[in-house]
Amino acid sequence: PILKSPGVADPKVPRAGTLPLRSSRNPFEEVPTLEDETRDLGTLPNGSSCRRRATLEKLAGLAPFRLGWTSGRRAGSPGDGQSRSFLGRVLAPGIRRSSADFGLLTRLQGFRAHGDDETAGDAARRLAFLRLGRGPKPRRASLAERVVPAGEAAPEPPPKVPEPPKMKEPLSVLEILSLIQRRELARADEHILELEAEELTPGGGRRARDVALLYEALQRELWALVRETLLEALRARLLEDMAVVRGRLAPAYPAGLAAFGVYLRGYHGALAEWLGMAARRRLPLTDRYALLHWHNQVYPREVLGLVDMVALENGELGPLLSAGTLRGLEDECVTDVKAQTRAALLRVLQEDEEQWGSMEDRPSSLAQDVCELLEEHTERAPRISQEFGERMAHCCLGGLAEFLQSFQQRVERFHENPGIRELPPDVYISRTISLVNCGPPLRSLAERLARVGPPESEPAREASSIALDRVTRLCHRVLADLLFQELQPHFNKLMRRKWLSSSEALDGIVGTLGAQALALRRMQDEPYQALVAELHRRALVEYVRPLLRGRLRCRSARTRSRMAGRLREDAAQLQRLFRRLESQASWLDPVVPHLAEVLQLEDTPSIQVEVGVLVRDYPDIRRKHVAALLDIRGLRNAAARQEILAVARDLELSDSGTLSPPRDHAFFADIPVPHSSFCLGIPLLLGRLPVSRLARPSLACLPLRPRPPSPARPRAQR
C-alpha cells in the first residue's frame, strides 16, 4: 500500500532525503502493466480507487518507486508523523498542500533530467521497442481526398495569389512638424522625402507648399541646433578657462595682485571686442537674434553668474556691447522682420487664394500659416528683453493689420465674382466657412500683440478688428442669402387661409433650417453664434413680414382667435428650433407672442399696454407698423385707433434723443409696410356719400395718401 504505518519500511520506497538506487531492470523484459502495480493498492480515504493515484504518479515521474516522508502535526490529520507518498498527500482530501511539496517535485524532476546516461538510454530503447510493435503512424486523409470519390484524381489546389504589399501611409504635415519640433530631424527628413514623392506622383493629394514649409521648418531647426551648439561651446570654454585660472594660475601669484580678476577682465575685454566686430558685420536675422540673446541672457546668467565676482576690485564688469550698438541691432531686426513678414504673408495669401475657386474641397491653413510666421518673432524677441519684445509686437501687429485689409479686399472680390457661383453649393458653402474660420485665431493674435505692444499699437488693433468684422459679416450674409433662397417658397405659404389650419409651411421652414445647420457646425464657435443669431432674427423678420403686409385680414373675433393661436404655436416651434441650434438671441422670442396679443385682445386699454411693451422692447417699431397691425385685426373705430397710436407716438417722441438700436438688434426696421388707412367718421360720410353706399364695408377705410391731381384737360373749342 502507498500509505505505510510509521516504522514499516518498503524496499521499493527510499526514505526521505535519500536518492534512489540505479535501476538494473532489463529494458527488453516484460513491462509490468498498470493493473499489476495497482491491483493491491486499495482505496483512498474518500472512497475512490487508488488506480488514479498510480496513474498520476507515473505522469509526475515518480513511479516505479514511491516516496515516503513525515508530515508535521496538523489538526484533523490521520496521525502525527505518518508516512505518506508525495502525490498521495497532494491528492488526499482535507490536507493543505505546502510550498515544500512543489519544491520536492521540482527537485525530483531536476534529478531525473540530470540522471545518469544509462537510465536515460534504457528508457529511450524501451520506447523505441514499443513503437516497433505499433508500426508507422497512419497518414490522415486531406479534405480533398475525403470529398473526391475513390479512383478519381483530386483536383489541384488553386495557386496562391501573392498579397500586394501594404503601402505605408506617410505621416501628415502636422505629424512631421511635430517631429521637427521635438528635434527628431533624421526621421522628419525621411518622412518629408516620402511626402515629396507622393506629391510628384500623378493624382497626389498633397500640395507642394506643405513640403516647402516643412523644409523651411527643418532648416530653421537645424540652424538653431548649430547656433546653440556653438554658443554653448563658447560658454563651456570660458568657464573651463576660468576654472583653470582659479585653480592653478591664481594661487601662484600674491593675493594682492588679484590675478583672477585680471584674467577675467582680459577675457571680458577680448570677448567684447570680438562681439563688436561681429555686430558691425551684416549678419543674417537669425544670427542677430542669437547674438542678442547670448549677450543679454546667456553671458550674464550662465557665465558671469557662475564666477566669483567678489574677486573683482570694482565688483562688476562693463557691458560687452554699448547701448547704441544694441539699439542698432534691434532696429535691424525690426526692419528685416517687417520686410520678411510682409513678403511672406502676401505669398501665403496668394497661394491660398488660388485654391478658393478650385472644385476640390480642401481645408485652408491660412490662419495657421500666418500665426506661425508672426509668432516665430513675437516669441523670440521677449526672451532677449521686454522692451525689444514690445517693439517686435508692434511691428508684427502693423504687418498683420496690413495683411488683413488685403485679405478683406480679396474676400470681397471672391464673392462678387459671378463665376464663383458656378461652384457646387456644398463646395461654395465650405469655402465660405473656411474664410470665416480664419477670423477667430487671427483676431486672438491681434489682441495678444496689442496687449504686449506699446499704447500706440491700438490703431493697428482696431484696423485688424474692422477688417475681420467685414469679412465675417459678408460671409454670414452670403450664407444666409443662400439659405433663405431655399426657404422662400415656404415663407410664401404663410398668412394664407390654408396656413390657419395646416402647419405644412412652418414644418418646411423648420426642417430646412435644421438640415442646413449641420453644415454650419464646422464653423468655429464665435462666428457660429453670430450667424445663428442672424438666422434667428432674419427668420422671424421673414415670418412677420407677410403678417404686416396684410396678406390675411380678420373680419371676426373667431378669425382673430384662430390667427393668434396659430401665431403662438409657430412662435413656440421656432423657439425650440433655435434653442436646439444654440442661438443666444433670446430677445427675439417675445415678438410674435406680443403681436398675437394685440390681435386677440378686445379692450382698448389692454391693447395700449401691449403696444407699449412692443415699443419698449423693440425701439425700431413705428406707428405705421402698429397701424398695419390694427388694420389686420379689423379695428375700424377711429377714436380707439387714435388712442392706441398715441401710445406709439408718445414713446417715439420720448426716445427721439436716444440712439437707434445696433444692426444686429434691428427688427421692424427691416419690415416695410404699405401706407396705412384710416377710418372716416360717419358724419363726414353722410354729407358726401349716399346712404346706399355706406353699407359696403370696403368703403369704410380710405387710403391716407391723397390722390394726385388729374392733369387739366384742354377745353374743346366751339
Side-chain angles (χ1 to χ4, degrees), residues 461-480:
R461 187 201 65 80
E462 293 180 356
S464 302
S465 180
I466 291 174
L468 290 174
D469 290 341
R470 290 177 178 174
V471 170
T472 303
R473 284 198 300 266
L474 174 60
C475 294
H476 283 178
R477 186 173 71 249
V478 169
L479 294 173

Side-chain angles (χ1 to χ4, degrees), residues 436-499:
V436 173
N437 284 339
C438 294
L442 296 179
R443 189 187 302 273
S444 176
L445 177 62
E447 297 289 341
R448 187 166 63 252
L449 294 179
R451 288 194 299 269
V452 176
E456 52 267 24
S457 301
E458 185 62 23
R461 187 201 65 80
E462 293 180 356
S464 302
S465 180
I466 291 174
L468 290 174
D469 290 341
R470 290 177 178 174
V471 170
T472 303
R473 284 198 300 266
L474 174 60
C475 294
H476 283 178
R477 186 173 71 249
V478 169
L479 294 173
D481 290 343
L482 291 175
L483 179 57
F484 280 92
Q485 286 178 6
E486 188 177 354
L487 290 173
Q488 195 57 44
H490 301 290
F491 282 111
N492 291 337
K493 299 178 182 179
L494 295 175
M495 310 306 163
R496 308 282 186 182
R497 290 292 177 183
K498 184 179 179 181
W499 166 77

Side-chain angles (χ1 to χ4, degrees), residues 130-283:
L130 293 177
R131 291 194 191 99
L132 292 176
R134 292 200 304 264
K137 183 178 180 181
R139 186 179 66 87
R140 297 179 60 186
S142 64
L143 182 61
E145 294 174 349
R146 298 178 199 168
V147 176
V148 179
E152 298 184 8
E156 296 182 359
K160 294 184 178 180
V161 179
E163 297 182 358
K166 296 183 178 180
M167 301 299 294
K168 186 178 180 181
E169 183 71 18
L171 296 182
S172 64
V173 177
L174 293 179
E175 291 172 337
I176 299 176
L177 184 62
S178 177
L179 290 178
I180 295 175
Q181 293 173 350
R182 296 199 303 266
R183 289 194 171 178
E184 300 181 19
L185 304 182
R187 289 184 57 197
D189 184 58
E190 295 177 0
H191 290 293
I192 292 176
L193 291 177
E194 296 176 359
L195 199 63
E196 189 175 15
E198 182 186 356
E199 172 64 25
L200 296 177
T201 57
R206 306 281 185 176
R207 291 179 292 181
R209 184 171 63 88
D210 296 336
V211 178
L213 291 176
L214 287 174
Y215 273 125
E216 293 178 3
L218 180 63
Q219 183 182 17
R220 288 195 302 267
E221 201 64 31
L222 282 171
W223 278 114
L225 185 62
V226 172
R227 284 192 300 271
E228 292 174 6
T229 304
L230 297 176
L231 298 169
E232 183 64 23
L234 179 61
R235 183 191 67 86
R237 177 57 59 87
L238 286 174
L239 292 179
E240 181 182 354
D241 290 351
M242 290 297 100
V244 172
V245 169
R246 179 189 298 276
R248 297 182 181 180
L249 295 180
Y253 292 94
L257 296 179
F260 178 74
V262 173
Y263 273 96
L264 182 58
R265 287 192 182 89
Y267 269 92
H268 184 78
L271 184 59
E273 182 180 358
W274 179 82
L275 287 180
M277 294 173 56
R280 287 190 292 270
R281 294 197 300 266
R282 182 62 181 175
L283 297 174

Side-chain angles (χ1 to χ4, degrees), residues 705-717:
R705 182 176 57 184
R707 180 181 299 177
S710 59
R713 298 180 181 177
R715 294 184 178 180
Q717 296 181 357

Side-chain angles (χ1 to χ4, degrees), residues 290-414:
L291 192 149
L292 288 171
H293 183 262
W294 199 90
H295 177 274
N296 289 12
Q297 300 295 331
V298 177
Y299 184 69
R301 182 179 65 249
E302 300 184 16
V303 176
L304 297 182
L306 299 180
V307 299
D308 188 9
M309 301 297 293
V310 180
L312 298 176
E313 296 178 357
N314 299 329
E316 61 181 13
L317 296 172
L320 289 174
L321 296 176
S322 63
T325 304
L326 292 175
R327 183 72 177 188
L329 289 173
E330 293 178 358
D331 293 341
E332 292 176 0
C333 288
V334 171
T335 303
D336 288 354
V337 167
K338 184 180 298 183
Q340 292 182 11
T341 55
R342 179 185 292 111
L345 291 175
L346 291 179
R347 184 181 69 252
V348 168
L349 180 58
Q350 180 66 30
E351 293 175 354
D352 195 78
E353 185 184 12
E354 294 174 356
Q355 304 295 329
W356 294 355
S358 174
M359 301 295 290
E360 299 181 7
D361 185 11
R362 294 181 178 179
S364 175
S365 60
L366 178 63
Q368 179 183 356
D369 296 341
V370 171
C371 292
E372 290 178 356
L373 285 172
L374 297 179
E375 287 175 350
E376 178 186 0
H377 305 287
T378 58
E379 292 179 357
R380 296 184 67 175
R383 299 172 187 169
I384 297 174
S385 66
Q386 181 180 358
E387 181 184 0
F388 185 46
E390 294 178 358
R391 296 183 61 194
M392 188 60 67
H394 178 62
C395 169
C396 292
L397 183 56
L400 178 61
E402 182 180 352
F403 164 80
L404 291 177
Q405 291 173 359
S406 178
F407 174 64
Q408 172 203 338
Q409 296 171 1
R410 300 192 185 210
V411 171
E412 292 173 351
R413 289 200 303 265
F414 168 73

